[in-house]
Amino acid sequence: MRMDRESMAAAVRAFLEALGQRVEGPDLGDTPERVARAWAEDLVSGYAQDPAELLSWTAAPEGSGAVAVRDVSFASVCIHHLLPFFGHAHVAYLPGRRLAGLSKIGRVVEAHARRLQIQERLSAEIADTLQRVLEPRGVLVVLDAEHTCMTLRGGRKFGSRMRTLAATGVYDTDDQARREALILLTGDGAPRGDD
């Protein structure tokens, strides 16, 4: 997906002017271009990546047990208010014939997060990508995040967090397997927030 930075900068300029700001001088003169660059190169850079292509793998040893990766930090932008939300992803999968490179799971999380998102969809997209590429017996994704659309506006409930869970395969159908994966991810069998 190609992003039109000139149009983005023009839109930021129009937005600032609609706020009654004069977009010139040392304070705001370069702001439209800086904002366009920040969004294109950082905040929504995930549109330029195919998360599935980031996920390399190797053959799994026979009888491999569950693999869990905890506390993968992420930041995203809420599609409803264009405000950031951020937190940690906790990912577990039960390998079939493929094992992912450890850093690759973090890259998949990042590629999906760096798009306009809602947390529920982000959880499902991460789980779906891992399921499609690795073909495991199951995937479990828990996201724990703080949403600035709730803390900076509206209810202004600072410190409140949202948790979501997406599951495939045995983690969707087998309660015992799901409990075991949650224990690997959280230590107590329940999705956890930051302590």
Side-chain angles (χ1 to χ4, degrees), residues 19-93:
L19 290 174
Q21 300 297 309
R22 294 182 63 211
V23 186
E24 55 192 43
D27 290 335
L28 289 176
D30 294 330
T31 296
E33 290 75 19
R34 277 195 299 257
V35 171
R37 188 172 56 251
W39 278 83
E41 293 177 4
D42 225 358
L43 299 174
V44 291
S45 61
Y47 287 119
Q49 299 177 307
D50 178 352
E53 290 180 4
L54 301 173
L55 196 56
S56 62
W57 53 272
T58 187
E62 189 74 28
S64 293
V67 176
V69 182
R70 296 173 20 166
D71 299 319
V72 177
S73 61
F74 73 89
S76 192
V77 176
C78 169
I79 198 166
H80 297 134
H81 297 99
L82 299 184
L83 290 171
F85 66 97
F86 52 90
H88 291 93
H90 313 288
V91 179
Y93 70 99

Side-chain angles (χ1 to χ4, degrees), residues 3 55 82 85 94 157 171:
M3 293 187 210
L55 196 56
L82 299 184
F85 66 97
L94 189 57
K157 301 300 180 196
Y171 295 140

Side-chain angles (χ1 to χ4, degrees), residues 135-149:
E135 300 174 353
R137 291 176 278 168
V139 176
L140 185 70
V141 175
V142 176
L143 299 184
D144 181 69
E146 181 174 326
H147 291 250
T148 59
C149 58

